């Protein structure tokens, strides 16, 4: 599949690290991918830049409206509050597991791998994250390394906002290694 044909879903809520959402989104859009944002509601969500308030962005759809069948890959930005809130919502974890069951690329950066821990997707995998949650990854069965972008199977993990370019390039590599999906196989139309 060409990246220009890809449909990528980002899942986030308040407290996401600004560049970890806006960076991959910008790079993917510049390459022609269609990028959609899902959150708990359609109300604008607030970024952080470290601990300070950042930009806001309005989601395209809610988690409950998101269907893994409609997308080619999933991005889980970090920030501390964002994944900490999302991991408490069963529908978010179920959506992440659906992407994994469909063998689609999943990319999580910084504190985003907390969601992979919650979905039990890191057992026997190599991964990285923000340093303070690496024990959580180890406890979930991962081998933890300190590298800008780590790919294991269809999962990409990264450490922090400085890794966004390597993180996004690793995700693009996984997407482009996927077979092309015909439009007829997509079950529902995602709002533009």
């Amino acid at each position: 599949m060409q990246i220009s044909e890809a449909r990528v879903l980002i899942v986030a809520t308040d407290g996401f690290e600004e560049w970890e959402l806006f960076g991959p989104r910008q790079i993917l859009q510049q390459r022609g991918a269609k990028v959609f944002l899902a959150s708990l509601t359609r109300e604008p969500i607030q970024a952080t830049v470290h601990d300070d308030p950042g930009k806001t962005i309005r989601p395209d759809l809610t988690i409950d409206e998101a269907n893994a069948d409609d997308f080619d890959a999933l991005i889980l930005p970090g920030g501390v509050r964002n994944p900490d809130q999302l991991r408490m919502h069963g529908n978010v974890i179920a959506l992440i597991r659906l992407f994994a069951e469909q063998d689609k690329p999943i990319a999580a950066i910084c504190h985003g791998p907390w969601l992979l821990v919650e979905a039990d997707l890191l057992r026997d995998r190599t991964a990285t994250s923000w340093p303070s949650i690496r024990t959580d990854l180890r406890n979930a069965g991962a081998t933890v390394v300190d590298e800008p972008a780590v790919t294991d199977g269809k999962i990409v993990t990264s450490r922090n906002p400085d890794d966004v370019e390597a993180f996004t390039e690793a995700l693009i590599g996984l997407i482009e290694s996927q077979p092309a999906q015909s439009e007829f196989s997509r079950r529902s139309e995602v709002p533009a």
Side-chain angles (χ1 to χ4, degrees), residues 105-117:
I106 301 172
I109 186 168
C110 192
H111 288 75
W114 259 343
L115 293 163
L116 303 178
V117 168

Side-chain angles (χ1 to χ4, degrees), residues 13 28 38-39 43 48 82 92 105 109-110 160 168 170 173 178 187 191:
T13 192
L28 288 164
S39 191
E43 294 301 311
T48 58
N82 165 54
V92 173
I109 186 168
C110 192
N160 59 55
T168 308
Q178 299 279 96
R187 287 196 232 176

Side-chain angles (χ1 to χ4, degrees), residues 118-150:
E118 198 67 36
D120 195 24
L121 297 179
L122 292 182
R123 192 170 313 282
D124 300 322
R125 291 189 185 267
T126 301
T128 194
S129 67
W130 184 256
S132 68
I133 70 165
R134 290 180 182 166
T135 298
D136 297 338
L137 273 61
R138 281 188 203 94
N139 289 342
T143 299
V144 177
V145 296
D146 185 14
E147 296 174 14
V150 177

Side-chain angles (χ1 to χ4, degrees), residues 2-192:
Q2 294 297 315
I3 193 61
S4 59
E5 300 166 353
R7 295 162 63 91
V8 179
L9 182 66
I10 300 174
V11 170
T13 192
D14 287 319
F16 66 90
E17 183 67 34
E18 186 172 288
W19 186 239
E20 294 171 3
L21 187 155
F22 286 99
R25 179 175 177 261
Q26 175 183 314
I27 293 167
L28 288 164
Q29 287 176 333
Q30 287 172 343
R31 303 272 187 97
K34 291 182 176 62
V35 183
F36 300 87
L37 174 61
S39 191
L40 300 171
T41 71
R42 285 185 181 239
E43 294 301 311
I45 58 175
Q46 174 89 48
T48 58
V49 179
H50 302 290
D51 293 327
D52 298 323
K55 298 180 193 174
T56 60
I57 185 171
R58 183 175 294 278
D60 301 297
L61 64 164
T62 67
I63 301 297
D64 289 333
E65 294 167 334
N67 184 337
D69 295 339
D70 297 329
F71 301 98
D72 302 300
L74 175 65
I75 296 176
L76 304 170
V80 178
R81 287 190 350 229
N82 165 54
D84 193 51
Q85 288 181 61
L86 291 176
R87 72 191 302 196
M88 302 302 293
H89 292 270
N91 56 346
V92 173
I93 302 310
L95 180 63
I96 294 167
R97 286 183 178 143
L98 277 173
F99 274 87
E101 288 166 14
Q102 293 180 12
D103 202 30
K104 293 180 178 178
I106 301 172
I109 186 168
C110 192
H111 288 75
W114 259 343
L115 293 163
L116 303 178
V117 168
E118 198 67 36
D120 195 24
L121 297 179
L122 292 182
R123 192 170 313 282
D124 300 322
R125 291 189 185 267
T126 301
T128 194
S129 67
W130 184 256
S132 68
I133 70 165
R134 290 180 182 166
T135 298
D136 297 338
L137 273 61
R138 281 188 203 94
N139 289 342
T143 299
V144 177
V145 296
D146 185 14
E147 296 174 14
V150 177
T151 302
D152 188 329
K154 295 290 176 72
I155 294 179
V156 175
T157 51
S158 283
R159 305 170 300 186
N160 59 55
D162 294 337
D163 297 335
V164 161
E165 191 171 320
F167 171 72
T168 308
E169 290 302 326
L171 175 62
I172 289 169
L174 281 180
I175 292 169
E176 290 188 332
S177 72
Q178 299 279 96
Q181 185 178 7
S182 79
E183 276 303 311
F184 298 109
S185 67
R186 298 192 195 277
R187 287 196 232 176
S188 59
E189 187 55 37
V190 177

